[in-house]
Amino acid sequence: MAPPRAQRPRVVAVADGSPAAAAGLLPGDEIAAIDGQVPRDVIEWRLLVDEPSPTLDVVRGGLSLEVVVGKEAGVPLGAEVASALFDEVRTCDNHCEFCFVHQLPPGLRGSLYVKDDDYRLSFLYGNYTTLTRFTELDLERVITERLGPLNVSIHATDPELRARMLRNRRGATSLRWLRALLDAGITVHGQVVVCPGVNDGPALEQTLAGVLDRYPELATLCVVPLGVSRWSPESSLRAHSAAEAAAVVDLVEEWQALYLRVLGRRLAFASDEYYLAARRPFPAAEAYEGFPMHEDGVGMARAFERELLGEVAEGLGVAPGFFSWVDGAPAEGYRAPRRPPPARGEEATPRLGPPLAADPRPVRVLTGAYGARVLGPLLARLGRADVATLTVANRFFGGNVAVAGLMVGEDVAAALAAHGAGPGTRYLLPDVCLSAGRFLDGTTPEDLPVGVEVVATDGVALRRALVG
Ligand code: SF4
């Protein structure tokens, strides 16, 4: 799959009453340059349009025109653009055997097969970068523009093992950039994908020691198990056994105690999937130190518990990241918003059905096999016998894929059919499995055999859907 090509920023929305609207900018306009400079990405775009009265070279219907936007420095332009990167996405030159892109079934939308290793997507969306294609110029830009936090894939601190895992000799040396980023005060989160028999056991211990020795400024280090789909071309890849998962949990917890003594914080966290695979109880909510890696599946279960049981007022949901303040639209094809954009006059968050108290129908919450193990006991604590989970077996990906985020339409439809789904039951679908309103297999909730209500994937939203 070829990476997306370079493209000019294309305006997709202009806010009423904004400086962009006053200057006559229109959706569909392409911006060739701002004050003579061609922005490479939405980060540069933001910096350029932040200037007072920027001059935009606009291409409209094949004609070139100049638009001067009258505004003060720092006043938002009020125009959204269609993508985050205007030059080409930097693709990855690694060949990790555990790469999930290599484990996707054929025929999915093209953007899912793009293996990016672009620090800008790390900054914008929280994607992980191995830094094997990072350069001196990139470092200078990250430091100058303070492009943090960044997420870095570590996997192993032993150079030879890391190069072997990435199947790239530069994997042996690219963590020097991590040291440089930390030296410059950039916040970095690290990740270790653990493959049984490769970087677990003594190798994982060496990595945890290496982090303390060489990268103690890391904000967090999340330790996650590899996912193995039935499409994996690597015969040596296998899921952890329960005993192997328990050994990883034990090791991480042992090192947490050490980090806590030396650094005053736990630093490393095993993901929720590890506790489920090991059949161990999750650590207490406090042990997650504010849930900084919630979106990476670390502490999700405990956070959800607090939210569903009404112990906190707000759900953690999706970290808003950079796009909470930039006036650019999320990139198409990367982390698109879970729901499609609302049509004009439509509410941004569609209304759910009536709360349970007002609706006598039983409720089934659709979720993956792991989600059901977390959610089932929590729903029971709500004291409603008519609310339960409906587990969606993941036949599409197969293997050990059991998280709600990878549920696809055809598996959801099969679970509904097996349940004899009909209008006598309310079905709630977490939006984590959708991207711009579509499942990974390209279908939409409207294609399902019965109507489902899409709810935000946090305990507060689910509680609201259930009890009003
Ligand atoms: S670095 Fe990431 S995208 Fe690249 S091969 Fe490895 S797992 Fe896949």
Side-chain angles (χ1 to χ4, degrees):
M1 162 74 198
R5 308 289 310 168
Q7 54 186 337
R8 292 192 191 112
R10 179 171 50 83
V11 175
V12 290
V14 177
D16 290 342
S18 65
L25 211 60
L26 297 174
D29 284 349
E30 292 184 1
I31 312 300
I34 304 165
D35 289 332
Q37 294 191 55
V38 180
R40 286 172 291 179
D41 48 50
V42 76
I43 308 164
E44 277 184 355
W45 161 275
R46 168 71 194 213
L47 291 173
L48 292 169
V49 301
D50 227 25
E51 293 295 315
S53 299
T55 300
L56 311 183
D57 293 344
V58 175
V59 179
R60 181 180 296 162
L63 298 175
S64 299
L65 57 148
E66 210 176 75
V67 174
V68 181
V69 183
K71 71 173 200 64
E72 303 290 320
V75 173
L77 178 69
E80 290 188 359
V81 288
S83 65
L85 304 185
F86 313 138
D87 56 3
E88 289 179 19
V89 61
R90 192 176 297 173
T91 52
C92 140
D93 62 349
N94 306 312
H95 306 278
C96 312
E97 62 179 353
F98 54 87
C99 180
F100 206 71
V101 175
H102 297 155
Q103 301 187 52
L104 293 174
L108 303 182
R109 56 182 178 272
S111 59
L112 294 172
Y113 299 99
V114 176
K115 298 194 309 176
D116 71 78
D117 202 350
D118 196 316
Y119 69 94
R120 298 172 299 174
L121 294 177
S122 183
F123 172 62
L124 292 166
Y125 299 108
N127 294 7
Y128 276 87
T129 170
T130 61
L131 299 172
T132 50
R133 297 197 60 193
F134 204 68
T135 65
E136 201 68 55
L137 279 179
D138 298 334
L139 179 67
E140 197 183 310
R141 183 177 180 200
V142 169
I143 294 172
T144 312
E145 298 178 19
R146 307 308 297 171
L147 303 184
L150 296 179
N151 286 351
V152 171
S153 289
I154 293 176
H155 305 324
T157 50
D158 173 65
E160 273 179 35
L161 176 56
R162 188 165 188 268
R164 211 162 60 236
M165 289 187 74
L166 300 186
R167 289 178 174 157
N168 182 347
R169 60 190 168 79
R170 282 202 306 284
T173 52
S174 70
L175 285 183
R176 72 186 191 281
W177 296 119
L178 172 59
R179 190 55 260 157
L181 290 166
L182 295 171
D183 283 341
I186 301 295
T187 301
V188 181
H189 296 280
Q191 183 197 52
V192 172
V193 176
V194 181
C195 304
V198 178
N199 63 335
D200 58 348
L204 180 57
E205 176 135 42
Q206 191 184 358
T207 299
L208 294 167
V211 163
L212 182 59
D213 188 35
R214 278 172 267 162
Y215 315 110
E217 304 93 336
L218 268 182
T220 59
L221 180 73
C222 64
V223 179
V224 303
L226 85 166
V228 190
S229 95
R230 70 186 169 95
W231 301 93
S232 169
E234 304 282 348
S235 54
S236 60
L237 278 191
R238 62 175 177 83
H240 290 69
S241 66
E244 287 167 338
V248 170
V249 168
D250 286 341
L251 193 58
V252 171
E253 290 188 346
E254 205 179 292
W255 276 85
Q256 279 186 330
L258 185 64
Y259 290 139
L260 202 51
R261 276 206 306 278
V262 179
L263 303 173
R265 59 198 174 91
R266 288 176 177 80
L267 199 151
F269 302 89
S271 71
D272 290 12
E273 264 186 275
Y274 263 125
Y275 286 90
L276 288 166
R279 301 200 169 269
R280 294 276 183 85
F282 295 111
E286 302 71 52
Y288 288 105
E289 300 181 345
F291 300 102
M293 302 308 288
H294 174 261
E295 243 202 287
D296 291 274
V298 176
M300 266 186 162
R302 279 292 182 225
F304 204 93
E305 177 181 29
R306 294 194 315 173
E307 294 163 1
L308 186 69
L309 300 181
E311 293 165 15
V312 289
E314 293 293 329
L316 285 177
V318 182
F322 180 81
F323 277 113
S324 62
W325 63 273
V326 75
D327 55 346
E332 288 164 354
Y334 293 99
R335 282 198 181 179
R338 291 171 181 176
R339 292 159 193 264
R344 224 170 233 290
E346 208 177 72
E347 284 178 86
T349 308
R351 265 183 219 286
L352 292 161
L356 189 63
D359 188 329
R361 292 178 299 164
V363 179
R364 291 294 175 269
V365 182
L366 292 149
T367 185
Y370 277 155
R373 281 176 50 195
V374 173
L375 205 51
L378 292 179
L379 291 177
R381 284 165 70 184
L382 287 181
R384 301 294 307 235
D386 54 348
V387 179
T389 56
L390 177 55
T391 305
V392 177
N394 202 316
R395 296 198 173 82
F396 188 79
F397 289 110
N400 69 345
V401 177
V403 294
L406 292 176
M407 289 192 298
V408 298
E410 70 176 50
D411 287 334
V412 174
L416 288 169
H419 189 249
T425 302
R426 286 176 70 198
Y427 294 95
L428 306 186
L429 180 77
D431 67 355
V432 67
C433 58
L434 301 176
S435 173
R438 286 193 177 275
F439 292 102
L440 283 169
D441 63 358
T443 61
T444 71
E446 289 72 38
D447 298 326
L448 295 172
V450 292
V452 297
E453 297 167 41
V454 178
V455 286
T457 313
D458 66 71
V460 171
L462 183 57
R463 185 181 174 82
R464 215 171 275 149
L466 293 176
V467 298

